Amino acid sequence: MSRRSFLFVLGSSRPDGNTESLARAAAEQLPSDVEQTWISLLRHPLPDFEDQRHDADRVRPTEGDEALLLDATLAATDIVIVSPLYWYSVSAQTKRYLDHWAGWLRTPGLGFKERLAGRTLWGVTVLADDQPVVADPLVGTLHNSAAYLGMSFGGVLLGNGSKPGDVLRDTQALTRAKTFFAQEAPSARFLYDG
């Protein structure tokens, strides 16, 4: 995959929220030849994940929202998790999407881990707190997921806001958005790996 293709996974429980606005501001800076796919987990909800790794072989989904998200995930060179900070981590919809990764890892013939290795995981979030450290659990979730899969991790673009449109007044976040996807994304490593 030499040509970059971005998948933006929107994990908010409301459309057109602050986190999506910040992600779109960052995406506007991407070159015009970079493909962008935007999928809302609100409009394409996944069922609750059932861990069947010890019960039965999983079958690759071929229709519905799970197939849509799996195919889009595998087609992307860059996956952007766009989730507001909910209780100091990702939203329930986003967590469900990541939980499905566990099933895709164990789907015979899919090679999910091997196919995602070397690609890049990014995050965008908006929080209502003025202390960015409260987003550390969200950042850790994404960073460790990238490390487990052998992906690069571009970090998380943080913004501030609560009411609709608040993030558009966060000039620091909007400035960071201009160069967020232009930065070099290092290979993700677990902290214990140094």
Side-chain angles (χ1 to χ4, degrees):
M1 283 193 159
S2 57
R3 193 164 166 236
R4 290 179 82 186
S5 171
F6 276 69
L7 169 62
F8 292 85
V9 180
L10 305 176
S12 180
S13 61
R14 63 180 169 196
D16 305 318
N18 283 307
T19 305
E20 182 178 343
S21 294
L22 184 57
R24 290 195 183 275
E28 286 175 2
Q29 311 306 314
L30 290 169
S32 60
D33 66 333
V34 172
E35 182 182 339
Q36 295 182 33
T37 301
W38 295 75
I39 299 179
S40 165
L41 297 174
L42 186 64
R43 293 187 190 101
H44 299 281
L46 289 168
D48 286 337
F49 174 69
E50 289 184 48
D51 187 352
Q52 300 173 341
R53 68 187 137 164
H54 302 297
D55 302 329
D57 283 338
R58 287 188 53 88
V59 176
R60 186 189 205 288
T62 56
E63 58 185 33
D65 292 328
E66 186 178 354
L68 171 76
L69 281 154
L70 171 59
D71 291 342
T73 301
L74 292 174
T77 60
D78 296 76
I79 301 165
V80 186
I81 301 297
V82 183
S83 173
L85 186 71
Y86 287 165
W87 284 104
Y88 310 104
S89 191
V90 294
S91 68
Q93 297 91 321
T94 302
K95 178 64 168 66
R96 189 175 296 118
Y97 167 68
L98 294 174
D99 285 347
H100 276 269
W101 286 18
W104 299 340
L105 280 165
R106 290 168 179 81
T107 302
L110 193 58
F112 187 77
K113 186 172 185 178
E114 296 77 15
R115 291 172 74 176
L116 260 60
R119 299 184 191 190
T120 304
L121 185 64
W122 308 83
V124 179
T125 193
V126 172
L127 51 147
D129 199 297
D130 59 359
Q131 297 296 321
V133 70
V134 301
D136 283 356
L138 180 147
V139 175
T141 293
L142 299 183
H143 179 264
N144 288 339
S145 297
Y148 179 76
L149 291 166
M151 300 176 77
S152 296
F153 183 57
V156 177
L157 175 61
L158 298 172
N160 189 274
S162 180
K163 294 182 295 203
D166 274 356
V167 75
L168 300 177
R169 291 186 285 281
D170 184 346
T171 55
Q172 291 180 338
L174 294 174
T175 298
R176 287 190 302 268
K178 291 180 188 277
T179 58
F180 183 62
F181 292 125
Q183 67 184 335
E184 188 67 31
S187 294
R189 298 280 181 261
F190 290 111
L191 289 177
Y192 57 76
D193 285 338

